[in-house]
Amino acid sequence: MLAIRETLTASRRAPLLSALGVVTIAFSLFAFGLFGLVAINIRTALEQVEQRVEVRGFLADGTAIESVSAAMKDIGEFPEVARVDYVSEEQALARARKEMGEFADVFEAGVLPASIEVHLRVGLRSPRVVKSVADRIRTYQFIDDVRYGEEWVEKLYRLRNIATIAGTGLGLAFATVAVIIIGATIRMAVLARAKEISIMRLVGATDMFVRLPFLIDGLVKGLLGGLLALLFTWFANRTINRYFLETVFFDPQLMFLGILAGALIGVLGSFVSVGRHLRSI
Amino acid sequence: MIRLHEVAKEYPRAGLALSHISFAVRKGEFVFLTGPSGSGKTTILKMLYMGERPSSGEVLVSGVSSRTAGGRQISQLRRRLGIVFQDFRLLEDRTAEANVRFALEVIGVPKSVIGAKVNRALTQVGLVSKATSYPRELSGGEQQRVAIARALVNDPFVLLADEPTGNLDERATRGVFQLLRDINASGTAVIMATHDLDLVRRSEYRTIELNHGRIVFDSAESAPSAQSAEGGGKAHMRTPTDW
Ligand SMILES: Nc1ncnc2c1ncn2[C@@H]1O[C@H](COP(=O)(O)OP(=O)(O)O)[C@@H](O)[C@H]1O
Ligand SMILES: [Mg+2]
């Protein structure tokens, strides 16, 4: 049909600007992609270390074993808790010696207190949950001190948040530039076809019919930009994998979503511009 | 069919272009809109195809009201209007035939009927032999005929012509005017803006004369008894004031 035949007229009039539009969309999504990759991998890392997340409560000297078992039974019934283990002074010492290797001698019996190890259920290992469990354990009188990996858990979470914010910010900035550049391409195309468009409208073509070729133009650019971004991100990921550390890539749904986002940016840029410039014809 | 009621139009910064415009056009009527340059002829035609909306008052065209019409309704209305301009407005990169065809293609007329319609319209304006010529290969009169064919191709109930002979020499003017008369004789109403007084004087059609955005004379009003349904009647015409 005519709309299809007229497709890409905008791009043909301004090939350089059009290419720039595609590349900017690609950069926008690339920024999202890179930081998304960071976020995803941190999440994966968190999941892995979270398997080991435990809360350790150190027992005061001379705590009666009966009170400890009663408490362990209580704690074992917390909804967040998977398992509770008892670590005696001797076991703590043996473990420390094993970990320290050659410095094993610095530990003497009785230096390390006995403790209970509380393992949390999968999915209930966020810093907030961990902290709340730790706080509850702290309330037992015979618990001297509670330790959990608060620092690094929180650090990882913070890193992920920074990656998300930076990625979103940079991505949005590029997306805005992409919308502007695509808008400028459309503007040139609309003005170049002003006479044709004014005749179309005089003989009764609908607004949608007049806009359609421009919208399709934007859509095609957006899809191209999305694919290009996927390619960039994939190469970046492969490079990191090869030389630095093992990472996971987006699943197909996320890749599809990314390309869709590109299409959206392209159509949006066209839509805004064509609406504004048609009014002036 | 067409009715304007107390229409006024104010352009931003340019002041009042029209005021107190009221008149009606019947089915199949031929009406001249005359008046000096800047008197508001083009603005009235624009309001008839709803390219502009009145600042106050109402324009009614075939049941479509300027007060309520949305984009879609306006598009539908324009499919039933023919519009012709002084400067032809043909697409230079297409043949005469393609220019006429364009008007059907962009409103989604099925391909199978486009050919016959285009051919009929070109026959009507006497240009079948020039179907494959480009606008630059045609005389002014021929170009205007192509534009008229484009306006007719969708069987409009009214043809709106804004100074259609304004760019034409004496001979081409007579030819194009005769074509408009023929079109009117076959039942299509014609509203023609012109300041060619000779043309107005030599014909018996209804004349609405504008000055400074007001109707200063309407031959249908001055002799209401002479109005008739067929072809605008034989209203007596006052000679328009010289300007
Ligand atoms: N788009 C516009 N913006 C501002 N003023 C306009 C516009 N179109 C027409 N006018 C003014 O409205 C008045 C009537 O113009 P127009 O309808 O074109 O008259 P005519 O066709 O009789 O020469 C003039 O004073 C003209 O300057
Ligand atoms: Mg005019």
Side-chain angles (χ1 to χ4, degrees), chain B residues 9 11-18 34-44 46 52 162-163 193 195 210 213:
Chain B
K9 177 69 190 179
Y11 285 111
R13 292 188 309 280
L16 213 54
L18 290 175
T34 68
S37 162
S39 59
K41 306 181 292 293
T42 297
T43 303
I44 286 185
K46 272 187 188 161
E52 292 283 355
D162 193 356
E163 316 253 10
H195 54 236
L210 295 167

Side-chain angles (χ1 to χ4, degrees), chain B residues 1-2 23 25-31 45 48-49 60-62 77-84 148 151-161 180 183-184 187-192:
Chain B
M1 185 188 70
I2 291 174
F23 68 89
V25 178
R26 294 153 180 262
K27 203 161 171 283
E29 204 172 359
F30 195 119
V31 181
L45 291 177
L48 292 181
Y49 62 79
L60 263 170
V61 183
S62 182
L77 172 66
R78 288 184 188 168
R79 295 176 186 197
R80 303 168 51 227
L81 304 176
I83 311 174
V84 177
I148 292 171
L152 288 181
V153 74
N154 219 12
D155 301 314
F157 65 86
V158 61
L159 191 69
L160 307 176
L180 294 180
I183 288 164
N184 178 245
T188 308
V190 176
I191 301 177
M192 172 172 167

